[in-house]
Amino acid sequence: MVTTASNITESVLAAGNEIEPAEFHRNLEDVKSRIYTHAERIPLESLDHWYSDPDTGWLRHRSGKFFSVMGLRVSVSDAPVSGWCQPIINQPDTGILGILAKEINGVTHFLMQLKAEPGNRDGLQISPSVQATRSNYTGAHGGKSVPYLEYFRDAPAHRVLVDVRQSEQGSWFLRKRNRNMIVSTTDEIPAQDGFQWLTVGQVLRLLRCHDLVNMDTRTVLSCLSLTVGVLRERHPGYGDTFTAALLRSCDPAGGSHHGDREIHSWITEVRSRTEVIVEPVPLRALTGWCRSAESIRHETGDFFETIGMRVESAGREVGRWTQPMLATSEDGLIALLVTRIDGVLHALMHLRVEPGLVDVAELAPTVQCTPGNYAHLPSAARPAFLDEVRLADPEDIRFDTMLSDEGGRFYRISNRHLIVETDTVHAHPDYRWMAVHQLTELLRHCHYVNVQARSLVACLFSLLADPAPGAAAGQGDRSP
C-alpha cells in the first residue's frame, strides 16, 4: 500500500504499534558504541586539504567541492543595523533531506537514521533516512555510498509525499537550500545498522528530548500534510481547550485572523521595498573581525567564530577528515508566541530579513536571537517580545526543549525552543498572527518559512502527538 497523508496522520495518533521507549534508548546506547564521531579543535591553518585563497583569503577545499567560507559585506535599507561585515558559508549545491515511509503492521513508520555528526553535543541524533550534500552523494569524499539514496533520486511521482526546496540559516549560509522529501515504499527494506523504523508520533514525541532530533529531521517534519478529517475524528484532545484550538488551527475551515491574500501581499510588499545588498569581499576586509592562525572571530568575542576541527568517525561514509565549522559562545533562543483568536490557535510570525536568503525575507519565529549579541547593537535592534518569552509564566509554556542546529557545519550550537501562550493579541508592523494551516500551506512552496520557524512548526505538531494534551513539554529528559 502506498502511504498517504491520512496514513501519516493515523501514525501521529497511533499507539501500541511502536517500539517501547526503554527499548529505543537501549538501542540508542548500543549504536553509540559502533557509530560515533570524535571532534578535536585545531587551528584553521592546520586543516588538511583546505587552503586560503591567495586573492581573497576565503577558505576552500582543494577538490573544489563541499563548501567554502567567504567574506560578505551587507547593507539593508530601513534597518536598525543598516550595514555590517561577516564571514558566511557558501555551499551552493542542493542536498537531499529524505525520509522513507512504509506501512508496517498497518501503521506508517519512518526510517530514521541514528547519525553522528562532529558538531552534535551528545553524539547520535535522530536524522532523516538520507541526509547528504551533493558532494557527499556524488562521492566527492571518496568514501562509501549513501544508504537508501536510490529511493530519493528519480523517485516515482506517485510515491512522493513531500518534495520542496527549503532554505537553511540565512545568517550563516549564502543562499543554501536543501530538498526536503518524504517518499513512500512498499519494498521490504531491512533497517541497516544505525537505522530504526519509528512511527510518526514517536518521532514527534522524541522532540521533547534535549538535542536528540536533529535539525534536518525537524525541517522535513514541518512539511507534513496532516489530514484534518482524521485529526477531527481520532484525536482525543478536544476536551482540552488548548489542543482543541490547535486542532482547529490545522483546519482551513477554522479561519484565520489575517486572510491568505493579506499575508501574501504583506510578504511581497516587504520583499519589494527592502533593499538588501550583499557583496563578496576578502576575509581580510571584514571590518570588526579578527583572523588568526586559530580562528576567525568578532572583535567583541560574540556573534560566532569560524574554527578548525579534526574529526575521526566510525559508521560513516568517511573515517577521518578536517573542516572549518561555526561555533557560538552562547545558546540561542527561538520562540513562538501563540494565542487563541475566535477559538483558533495562531502563531505570531516575524517577517525577517537575512543576508543569505534567496528572496530577501522569510517568515521567522516571534523571537529568533542569541540574547548576548544585543549588548553590542543599537537598542532598536533588540527583538520585540524577547522579554515576554524569556519571562513567561511556566503555566503558559506549551513546549520548552533545547534542540541543536545541524552538526555537520555548526559545532555544538543549540537553541532553546519555546512555545508560549499569551492572552494578548499583539499588533506590530513586522509581525502577523497566522494559523497553522496557513503555515503548512506556505510550506508546500519554497522560501516562505525559515528553518528556525520550520523547527517550531514541527514542535507544534509534536503537541498533537502528546499523550497529555495541552501540557508543557520538554522537561530535559531523554525519554519520549
Side-chain angles (χ1 to χ4, degrees):
M1 182 176 72
V2 177
T3 302
T4 66
S6 294
N7 299 138
I8 287 177
T9 310
E10 294 274 4
S11 184
V12 171
L13 307 176
N17 288 278
E18 54 195 34
I19 184 173
E20 290 293 326
E23 182 181 353
F24 169 80
H25 286 284
R26 283 195 299 271
N27 291 345
L28 182 69
E29 293 303 315
D30 178 59
V31 172
K32 281 183 179 180
S33 67
R34 302 186 302 279
I35 298 176
Y36 55 83
T37 59
H38 293 153
E40 173 192 7
R41 181 166 175 172
I42 60 173
L44 281 178
E45 291 190 355
S46 299
L47 295 175
D48 298 329
H49 307 299
W50 293 82
Y51 72 101
S52 181
D53 185 279
D55 296 322
T56 63
W58 296 357
L59 290 172
R60 300 182 184 273
H61 196 267
R62 294 193 181 278
S63 68
K65 306 290 186 180
F66 303 106
F67 63 96
S68 61
V69 179
M70 59 182 284
L72 204 68
R73 182 179 292 121
V74 182
S75 65
V76 181
S77 63
D78 301 321
V81 180
S82 59
W84 69 91
C85 294
Q86 66 169 90
I88 198 164
I89 298 172
N90 184 13
Q91 187 174 349
D93 59 5
T94 300
I96 293 177
L97 308 178
I99 294 178
L100 200 58
K102 179 179 171 59
E103 304 304 301
I104 300 175
N105 297 325
V107 177
T108 298
H109 285 63
F110 281 171
L111 183 63
M112 308 307 299
Q113 183 178 9
L114 301 177
K115 190 176 181 71
E117 294 281 13
N120 289 355
R121 283 191 171 182
D122 196 19
L124 298 179
Q125 291 186 355
I126 298 174
S127 308
S129 316
V130 168
Q131 175 186 314
T133 66
R134 184 185 298 273
S135 294
N136 285 343
Y137 68 70
T138 57
H141 51 46
K144 295 180 289 186
S145 60
V146 177
Y148 308 109
L149 178 64
E150 65 274 16
Y151 287 95
F152 300 93
R153 301 188 72 177
D154 302 317
H158 70 284
R159 296 195 180 278
V160 177
L161 301 173
V162 169
D163 192 1
V164 59
R165 289 204 306 176
Q166 300 287 11
S167 62
E168 298 294 295
Q169 287 89 341
S171 293
W172 292 339
F173 280 112
L174 183 63
R175 296 171 184 163
K176 177 73 175 80
R177 290 151 291 177
N178 279 320
R179 189 177 181 185
N180 289 234
M181 303 182 73
I182 299 177
V183 175
S184 72
T185 183
T186 57
D187 294 351
E188 291 298 323
I189 301 176
Q192 296 185 25
D193 189 31
F195 290 80
Q196 182 96 54
W197 288 103
L198 300 173
T199 68
V200 184
Q202 188 164 26
V203 178
L204 289 172
R205 285 193 294 278
L206 287 166
L207 279 166
R208 296 182 231 161
C209 304
H210 289 329
D211 295 319
L212 181 57
V213 177
N214 85 348
M215 185 192 78
D216 294 325
T217 297
R218 301 193 305 268
T219 181
V220 178
L221 290 174
S222 75
C223 299
L224 290 172
S225 294
L226 301 180
T227 303
V228 172
V230 173
L231 288 174
R232 192 163 46 234
E233 294 170 8
R234 294 282 311 279
H235 201 284
Y238 273 107
D240 170 79
T241 57
F242 175 84
T243 305
L246 174 56
L247 289 166
R248 283 191 288 270
S249 188
C250 296
D251 186 353
S256 58
H257 188 61
H258 299 287
D260 292 347
R261 288 185 181 179
E262 181 182 351
I263 294 293
H264 279 278
S265 181
W266 170 54
I267 294 171
T268 302
E269 193 274 331
V270 170
R271 286 175 170 177
S272 299
R273 67 171 161 81
T274 305
E275 184 178 27
V276 179
I277 300 172
V278 295
E279 177 189 3
V281 295
L283 282 172
R284 62 178 172 273
L286 297 182
T287 304
W289 293 81
C290 308
R291 181 170 183 175
S292 68
E294 294 293 322
S295 66
I296 304 169
R297 61 188 293 273
H298 196 266
E299 61 189 6
T300 64
D302 288 321
F303 301 104
F304 62 92
E305 183 180 16
T306 306
I307 62 175
M309 301 298 299
R310 177 182 291 116
V311 184
E312 295 188 3
S313 74
R316 288 179 58 105
E317 293 87 359
V318 177
R320 185 178 293 105
W321 72 92
T322 65
Q323 67 172 93
M325 298 188 80
L326 299 191
T328 60
S329 59
E330 179 186 358
D331 289 333
L333 172 66
I334 64 173
L336 277 182
L337 280 177
V338 297
T339 196
R340 307 176 207 184
I341 302 175
D342 296 328
V344 177
L345 196 72
H346 285 67
L348 188 59
M349 305 303 297
H350 179 205
L351 191 54
R352 180 184 173 96
V353 176
E354 293 181 306
L357 297 177
V358 172
D359 198 1
V360 180
E362 295 184 4
L363 293 167
T366 316
V367 173
Q368 173 188 320
C369 71
T370 303
N373 290 344
Y374 293 91
H376 311 290
L377 297 175
S379 59
R382 194 171 187 271
F385 312 111
L386 175 59
D387 290 339
E388 183 163 351
V389 299
R390 292 180 77 179
L391 303 175
D393 188 319
E395 292 187 358
D396 295 328
I397 295 175
R398 300 291 172 250
F399 188 95
D400 186 0
T401 305
M402 297 298 298
L403 294 170
S404 301
D405 279 343
E406 193 269 325
R409 299 289 176 267
F410 307 124
Y411 185 67
R412 298 185 177 180
I413 296 178
S414 189
N415 296 284
R416 184 183 179 190
H417 283 56
L418 270 174
I419 298 174
V420 177
E421 189 170 15
T422 178
D423 293 330
T424 305
V425 182
H426 298 282
H428 190 292
D430 298 328
Y431 294 74
R432 294 291 185 275
W433 290 102
M434 296 180 62
V436 173
H437 66 80
Q438 292 178 300
L439 292 170
T440 56
E441 177 58 32
L442 288 174
L443 280 166
R444 300 174 189 266
H445 308 281
C446 306
H447 314 317
Y448 278 101
V449 183
N450 79 359
V451 68
Q452 291 88 353
R454 297 198 303 273
S455 187
L456 281 167
V457 168
C459 296
L460 275 172
F461 287 159
S462 79
L463 300 181
L464 294 173
D466 195 328
Q475 302 304 315
D477 62 7
R478 290 184 63 86
S479 63

